[in-house]
């Protein structure tokens, strides 16, 4: 569907225009493809809820039993985005297919709506087009997100490593211009000190301490886990601390020179 916003009339019109051209649907394959697309969008867009709306009738292929575990695993991983599936089932709610769909919808905290006739679709779609109320998990309220250990590997695999920067550039976080420990986002080329991004990740990670979004383009980035821990433990100086140190050294140096010249004054 071209429409970005959810427009039930548009969906109904499209369905009607397709009419008999709609081929027997491969539901399992469709879910895999839809989630793949959603993962791609998730990589670039933050602070969104992702919803897959499925319209299924008796004409669709039943989800093969052997596909079910893989689908369940995938949904368990992406539901932290947060992601959910709402399904409108047109036809018998007692079929094996209905039971499988119900399981998948529930797994993602979505819902299955059963209707007997296509005529009821309008009402259901209109209801669904209103912003879905999603009870906010406590971690959202506290601005803290946590991705469960079982799912962390999946989200880490979505993250890019920042690229090295070998020339002098201005860090987009602390605005210092130098060539010390600079890296850049591979998606938007925005440079930043690795240590500045490590600090940034403390408040803006996606639920894994060393996986965070680029502050410029929202692309998902990751830094070394131990490096981040060292920065947070104060074992690696931040740019602000380094600058202070340099200033202090210069002041100490000036004091030294001063005291030497004072001595000279005393001597003469
Ligand atoms: Zn910096
Ligand atoms: Zn970026």
């Amino acid at each position: 569907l071209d429409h970005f916003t959810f427009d039930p009339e548009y969906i109904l019109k499209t369905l009607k225009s397709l009419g008999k051209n709609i081929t027997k649907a491969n539901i399992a394959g469709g879910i895999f493809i839809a989630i793949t697309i959603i993962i791609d969008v998730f990589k670039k867009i933050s602070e969104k809820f992702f919803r897959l709306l499925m319209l299924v009738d008796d004409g669709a292929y039943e989800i093969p039993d052997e596909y079910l575990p893989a689908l369940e695993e995938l949904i368990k991983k992406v539901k932290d985005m947060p992601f959910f599936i709402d399904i409108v089932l047109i036809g018998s709610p007692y079929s094996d297919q209905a039971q499988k769909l119900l399981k998948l919808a529930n797994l993602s905290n979505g819902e299955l709506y059963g209707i007997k006739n296509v005529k009821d679709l309008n009402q259901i779609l209109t209801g669904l087009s209103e912003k879905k109320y999603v009870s906010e998990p406590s971690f959202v309220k506290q601005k803290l997100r946590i991705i469960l250990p079982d799912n962390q590997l999946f989200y880490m695999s979505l993250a890019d490593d920042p690229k090295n920067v070998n020339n002098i550039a201005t860090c987009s976080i602390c605005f210092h211009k130098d060539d010390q420990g600079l890296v850049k986002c591979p998606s938007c080329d925005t440079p930043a000190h690795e240590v500045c991004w490590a600090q940034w990740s403390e408040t803006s990670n996606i639920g894994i301490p060393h996986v965070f979004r680029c502050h410029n383009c929202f692309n998902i980035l990751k830094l070394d886990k131990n490096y981040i821990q060292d920065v947070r433990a104060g074992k690696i100086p931040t740019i602000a601390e380094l600058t202070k140190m340099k200033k202090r050294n210069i002041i100490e140096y000036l004091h030294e020179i001063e005291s030497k010249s004072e001595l000279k004054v005393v001597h003469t």
Side-chain angles (χ1 to χ4, degrees), residues 171-176 182 192-193 195-196 239:
C171 169
S172 57
I173 296 175
C174 73
F175 304 114
H176 273 272
L182 281 170
H193 292 108
V195 68
C196 287
I239 298 299

